[in-house]
Amino acid sequence: MEQILESLKANYPNGHPYFIPLCLEEMALHSKKNADYTQGGDPLGNFKRVAGVLCSLGMEVTPAQVAFVYMMKQVDVVGRMLGKGYEGGVESIHSRLQDIAVYAKLTDILYYTDLP
């Protein structure tokens, strides 16, 4: 892992020194959570399934919108935690910010892969 980190730093030398390690943490988080959500199936299947359920209830919702709503849930709680100076009992501000970053990327993927 150290070799990968050094290679990335060499290829992307500008910016804050913590940026690349945070991106690597997000990649690991995404991989671990995706294994739980998909168990080897479609890596975006949970967003597609939830969109399907909501559509069956008469709501016109895309998988990208589902991912965005999941992200907004995290944005909301981080805003409250920062405003109250509360770190969190189960999930920290850091872990929620990682979720936001991952959801943003997944929303981007879903939006641009679902375009006609």
Side-chain angles (χ1 to χ4, degrees):
M1 183 61 103
E2 191 63 34
Q3 189 176 21
I4 292 170
L5 181 59
E6 292 309 314
S7 175
L8 288 169
K9 286 180 181 180
N11 284 305
Y12 306 101
N14 301 311
H16 195 279
Y18 293 163
F19 189 84
I20 293 172
L22 281 175
C23 289
L24 292 172
E25 269 187 54
E26 291 164 10
M27 291 168 64
L29 175 69
H30 169 63
S31 182
K32 287 178 189 174
K33 285 190 173 187
N34 194 261
D36 283 347
Y37 286 123
T38 66
Q39 296 185 350
D42 181 351
L44 302 171
N46 56 326
F47 303 108
K48 294 173 183 177
R49 288 187 299 275
V50 170
V53 168
L54 294 173
C55 286
S56 74
L57 297 172
M59 302 169 74
E60 291 187 31
V61 178
T62 67
Q65 290 169 322
V66 171
F68 188 77
V69 168
Y70 289 4
M71 181 182 72
M72 290 304 301
K73 173 192 159 281
Q74 297 294 349
V75 168
D76 174 66
V77 74
V78 167
R80 290 185 55 79
M81 292 167 85
L82 290 171
K84 295 186 177 285
Y86 174 67
E87 181 57 34
V90 175
E91 290 187 70
S92 66
I93 292 172
H94 174 72
S95 68
R96 291 178 183 277
L97 288 170
Q98 285 185 311
D99 282 342
I100 291 166
V102 170
Y103 281 130
K105 291 171 184 71
L106 293 173
T107 302
D108 191 37
I109 292 166
L110 284 160
Y111 180 74
Y112 286 106
T113 58
D114 280 352
L115 288 178

